[in-house]
Amino acid sequence: MSSLSDTTNDIKIENPHLWTLSLFVDDRHIHFMLHNDQEHNSLICRDIEIGTWSDDEEHLRAVENAVYDNPLLLSEFKRVNVSVDSMQFIFLPPGYGTDEDARHAFDVAFPGATGDFVVSRGYNCRTDVAFMLPQGLHQFLRRTFSNAPVRLHLETMCSYFRGKTNASTINKVAVYIRNGRIDVCAFKHGRLQIANTYVCRSNDDAVFYTLAVWNMLGLDVRSDEIQIAGDKTVRAAITPRLREYVTYVVPVMMPPAAMRMASDAAKAPLNLIILAI
């Protein structure tokens, strides 16, 4: 059983068909957000712990238990958005052949990888994405949540930030900090150049990986920009250090659409806000 079986029992929703559920599944939690477009200040955010696990089968059972212990998640919602974390992924040119072609390319990068292979195509980051999930997880999420597309968390971040940079002449590195990892996506002339997720055991790691991407692309320290979102404590610690090397290091602004969900939407995880809008 999940460790927090009563996570949602205090949430009362009379008409779920008016609500949108957005959820993000990583290796230790199910993070979810609920909002109703017709009701101001309706935003609800929660985390459900799924505990530790040793193999794909245990992970799948943990996710299943967490969902079934919280029947609110099984309501008939107006819309369901699903994103997942994975450290096994590749970004491909748009329209990259068949799914079999994508699998061949993936196998070159991750030989011997097993699990649920997923290809996500045609979103705003202008690339296709192939990734691997623990065995059975993709089928469970699709079957349980209205057959909603399952998107890679990093791809949703890239899609959002690409939309924000498309008409800009400023090159940008966007950084999202979360639970010992950072997602980095970099854009030059409005086009995605690099997208990766790094494990960060310290703030030094976060600074190192951000500047490594910056230097790899040869960005201008006086005119280009680093945008940072996510964990406030880490963000506050690394921002002044990054400013020693790059002039413009700025926080990511909350999308205006989020403020229509709730006046305090800035307290919600940016990745779920992005997934919802």
Side-chain angles (χ1 to χ4, degrees), residues 53-61 114-116 133-136:
W53 45 275
S54 59
D55 56 32
D56 283 5
E57 184 176 356
E58 283 192 9
H59 180 264
L60 178 59
R61 296 289 88 77
T114 60
D116 287 356
L133 293 177
Q135 186 70 46

Side-chain angles (χ1 to χ4, degrees), residues 112-133:
T114 60
D116 287 356
F117 178 72
V118 186
V119 180
S120 180
R121 299 181 183 272
Y123 289 101
N124 192 44
C125 64
R126 301 285 177 87
T127 70
D128 292 341
V129 184
F131 57 98
M132 191 72 77
L133 293 177

Side-chain angles (χ1 to χ4, degrees), residues 60-80:
L60 178 59
R61 296 289 88 77
V63 173
E64 289 176 340
N65 287 338
V67 171
Y68 294 141
D69 283 351
N70 292 274
L72 173 71
L73 300 180
L74 302 174
S75 303
E76 293 293 328
F77 293 106
K78 173 184 176 182
R79 185 161 55 100
V80 179

Side-chain angles (χ1 to χ4, degrees), residues 170-172 186-193 217-219 224:
I170 300 172
N171 301 316
K172 298 179 182 179
F187 301 86
K188 209 169 185 179
H189 309 301
R191 295 184 178 182
L192 179 65
Q193 303 293 309
L217 294 178
L219 302 184
D224 294 330

Side-chain angles (χ1 to χ4, degrees), residues 85-87 89 153-154 178 181-184 195-199:
D85 200 16
S86 176
M87 294 296 284
F89 59 85
H153 156 82
L154 179 61
R178 57 183 179 92
R181 294 181 181 179
I182 64 167
D183 304 302
V184 181
N196 208 351
T197 297
Y198 301 97
V199 174

Side-chain angles (χ1 to χ4, degrees), residues 103-159:
R103 181 59 193 260
H104 288 324
F106 181 89
D107 287 342
V108 172
F110 297 98
T114 60
D116 287 356
F117 178 72
V118 186
V119 180
S120 180
R121 299 181 183 272
Y123 289 101
N124 192 44
C125 64
R126 301 285 177 87
T127 70
D128 292 341
V129 184
F131 57 98
M132 191 72 77
L133 293 177
Q135 186 70 46
L137 181 60
H138 183 248
Q139 293 94 326
F140 171 73
L141 293 173
R142 293 273 289 178
R143 182 176 68 249
T144 304
F145 295 108
S146 306
N147 211 33
V150 177
R151 298 174 64 185
L152 181 68
H153 156 82
L154 179 61
E155 179 270 316
T156 65
M157 303 300 295
C158 290
S159 290

